[in-house]
Amino acid sequence: MSQLRIAAVGDVHLGEDLRGRYRSRLSGIEEKADVLLLAGDLTRHGTLEEGEVVAEEFRDLPVPVVAVLGNHDHHSDKPAEIATMLKDAGISVLHDDAVVLDVKGVRLGVVGGKGFGGGFAGKCASEFGEPEIKAFVNHTKRIADRWRVALKELQADRRVVLSHYSPVNDTLAGEPLEIYPFLGSYLLAEAVDSEGADLILHGHAHMGTEKGMTPGGIRVRNVALPVLGRAYGVYCLGEDGEDPDHC
Ligand SMILES: [Fe+2]
Ligand SMILES: [Fe+2]
């Protein structure tokens, strides 16, 4: 099976002042990667004007582009409109579902969505007390359940999960401990571990750490732009034993 090179970045937080600026950083991407995954927080405040900038920056690239939205992209209550703009620009947008791409004859399945918070095993919110807390935890549970179903039904040779929120706390190292419950949830990792995947990519934790792993041993990479410090990271899906972070 051919080696696949997965480029990924999140938290580009584009606005009018960056129009044309990110695009120039993507030139030649087809020589380094086979696909580009965007891990949410593509805008600053989720406005339609910012959504339009994102659509233009990532339109008609020489590699397929798959995106999820982040919490910032929801801030103006226009996530559906922004998703439509991105789809009109040829970008696949996941909402707790899957897309399968044919990349060099390999079926690459990408599953995911925004994800949500709640915290990590032993130090997490639970469905107890006020309806607002129950709704918060339930939102994450429903998302994790949808990812479990999407992964179970996925017919692909390689499986990548794309999220905005983090499934593990390893990749949050550097963030204040007090905000961990708002940065991700162990329920996301539990869902992916139960069905299996080759790689999980997320953003959201700007001050976090690039590399982590789920309890089930799946590689997790925090691809938030401030963490990577470059336009995108490239991760390999190849034969067992190959260095996954050096294509
Ligand atoms: Fe962000
Ligand atoms: Fe975020």
Side-chain angles (χ1 to χ4, degrees):
M1 196 186 302
S2 303
Q3 183 191 62
L4 300 186
R5 302 166 301 169
I6 315 291
V9 66
D11 303 86
V12 292
H13 290 290
L14 297 183
E16 286 287 338
D17 56 321
L18 291 178
R19 194 180 278 279
R21 302 264 297 275
Y22 215 85
R23 182 84 188 182
S24 62
R25 302 177 73 184
L26 301 171
S27 109
I29 190 171
E30 71 278 16
E31 285 152 27
K32 298 175 190 153
D34 303 305
V35 61
L36 174 63
L37 306 186
L38 301 176
D41 275 7
L42 307 177
T43 65
R44 292 174 191 155
H45 297 99
T47 64
L48 297 182
E49 292 74 19
E50 291 172 346
E52 190 56 44
V53 174
V54 175
E56 289 311 310
E57 295 300 289
F58 294 99
R59 177 190 295 275
D60 293 332
L61 283 177
V63 296
V65 182
V66 181
V68 297
L69 299 185
N71 55 314
H72 282 246
D73 307 320
H74 282 69
H75 184 65
S76 299
D77 298 324
K78 304 276 184 205
E81 290 86 342
I82 290 175
T84 299
M85 278 180 184
L86 299 185
K87 287 176 192 166
D88 289 346
I91 299 166
S92 300
V93 183
L94 297 179
H95 184 66
D96 305 330
D97 51 6
V99 64
V100 179
L101 307 171
D102 184 331
V103 182
K104 299 191 293 195
V106 179
R107 289 174 306 164
L108 171 65
V110 187
V111 166
K114 176 181 64 64
F116 200 50
F120 298 90
K123 297 178 178 60
C124 55
S126 60
E127 279 179 293
F128 183 87
E130 303 92 320
E132 289 82 0
I133 291 286
K134 289 175 182 160
F136 180 88
V137 176
N138 219 278
H139 183 56
T140 313
K141 280 193 166 169
R142 281 202 308 274
I143 288 169
D145 285 344
R146 286 192 209 118
W147 290 13
R148 198 177 274 113
V149 170
L151 283 165
K152 190 187 278 293
E153 293 175 349
L154 187 68
Q155 304 274 327
D157 304 309
R158 294 290 185 185
R159 301 151 70 88
V160 175
V161 172
L162 179 62
S163 175
H164 182 59
Y165 286 77
S166 179
V168 297
N169 56 14
D170 311 9
T171 49
L172 304 185
E175 294 279 1
L177 275 174
E178 291 85 348
I179 66 167
Y180 273 31
F182 304 103
L183 296 177
S185 166
Y186 79 103
L187 295 172
L188 304 174
E190 214 173 59
V192 181
D193 275 342
S194 74
E195 298 301 329
D198 298 296
L199 174 67
I200 306 175
L201 300 165
H202 74 86
H204 193 45
H206 290 208
M207 293 192 291
T209 300
E210 185 181 1
K211 298 180 184 179
M213 193 170 276
T214 67
I218 298 172
R219 279 186 286 156
V220 180
R221 297 293 180 262
N222 175 0
V223 297
L225 179 59
V227 171
L228 293 180
R230 56 194 188 279
Y232 50 86
V234 182
Y235 305 95
C236 292
L237 301 181
E239 302 304 322
D240 287 347
E242 287 181 354
D243 181 348
D245 292 311
H246 294 94
C247 294

